[in-house]
Amino acid sequence: MDIFDNLLNLEEQFYEEGWEEGHNENLKNNFLEGKQFGLQVGFQRFVLLGQMTGFCDVLDSLELGNQNLEKNVESIRSLIKTVGLSNKDEDVENLEKILVKLKNKFRTILISVNRLTKQDKKRIIDFDDFEDLSRIIAGEVKGFVEDEDVDEAKTAQDQAQAW
Amino acid sequence: MSDLFGDVWGSDEEPHADREMSYDLKKLRDAHNKRGYLDGIVSSKEINLQQGFNEGFPTGSSLGLRVGLIIGRLQGLDYKYGNDDKELREKFVLAKKELKIGNVLSKAVFDPNFDLPGTGHEKVNEWEGITKAFCDKYKVNMK
């Protein structure tokens, strides 16, 4: 083997080493990026469901004595029970489907609650208010912001923008 | 002593040969290693993203559900009793601030692998406690 062959082999070897290193780094970064994104989307998708359930807990305690309302609260609960927390296709599909039903039922619930509790006009909750709060809580997040450390917050945001 | 000089300066027969060789070799290595690294780091944009997503998702949904429950219960209680219960109203206002996604999923809460510590999510735990106290006060059954 002459010296040029050796040199070429060496170049190739160095390249391969570097590639392997970069590739592994890349896989690790991708995994963590995906995980952050999964945390975010999972959170966003479930806030409204929890919020509806929590509100229903309070309604039950008020014992408003309206059968229609009780029936609607019950069906909200059983619909939510069918939702799995995973990202499996059937869970995602099911959630999309029942979300429409849930929203409609909850809209009706709020209308009867406002009527039954005879709240003055200023204190009425309509469904838009209810959903707005859910959006504020689950709102779009620009990366994972560090509270104290400004520099790092910047990096996280830059990173988020790069995705 | 002579060994040391031998290492540093090379032998008389081949002046500087070792040093120059290793310097060139290092340069060669750096250049090709770096090229490989750069190719490697952009080699697989999509690989592992989905696996990471699937691992983060259930933790995220569980936190979202818990935060939603806290907010919904406090909102319901505030709707009914908030005008007369000042503390309740204040807590509801504070919860809306502290439980926003940016605070709940703050980097500081997680370890470098984006896992929660063994003690779970402190802020969410804390708010579950606060909410439970109000639910007990107003006889709300937390199902």
Side-chain angles (χ1 to χ4, degrees), chain A residues 1 22 32 43 67 93 109 128:
Chain A
M1 213 189 277
L32 288 179
F43 186 92
Q67 277 199 333
E93 212 173 291
I109 285 177
D128 290 339

Side-chain angles (χ1 to χ4, degrees), chain B residues 43-143:
Chain B
S43 60
S44 41
K45 273 263 175 262
E46 305 297 325
I47 298 181
N48 255 359
L49 264 179
Q50 188 63 48
Q51 284 90 327
F53 187 94
N54 292 346
E55 191 170 295
F57 190 90
T59 312
S61 8
S62 151
L63 285 173
L65 201 60
R66 288 169 66 197
V67 165
L69 271 171
I70 294 166
I71 293 294
R73 283 170 180 154
L74 289 179
Q75 188 180 21
L77 287 168
D78 178 76
Y79 170 77
K80 182 67 188 166
Y81 308 107
N83 274 0
D84 305 313
D85 188 336
K86 214 177 135 210
E87 198 201 341
L88 169 63
R89 176 137 304 164
E90 279 170 10
K91 289 290 180 196
F92 179 47
V93 171
L94 190 64
K96 285 192 274 189
K97 213 175 100 190
E98 289 197 353
L99 294 176
K100 273 186 196 158
I101 186 168
N103 294 327
V104 175
L105 298 185
S106 157
K107 222 176 169 182
V109 175
F110 294 84
D111 69 15
N113 288 322
F114 287 101
D115 288 317
L116 284 172
T119 47
H121 198 297
E122 263 178 53
K123 221 8 150 207
V124 175
N125 293 347
E126 185 193 324
W127 275 104
E128 279 175 343
I130 295 169
T131 308
K132 186 178 182 306
F134 282 116
C135 283
D136 289 348
K137 182 176 176 185
Y138 292 107
K139 310 264 179 300
V140 172
N141 184 5
M142 295 165 61
K143 288 184 182 172

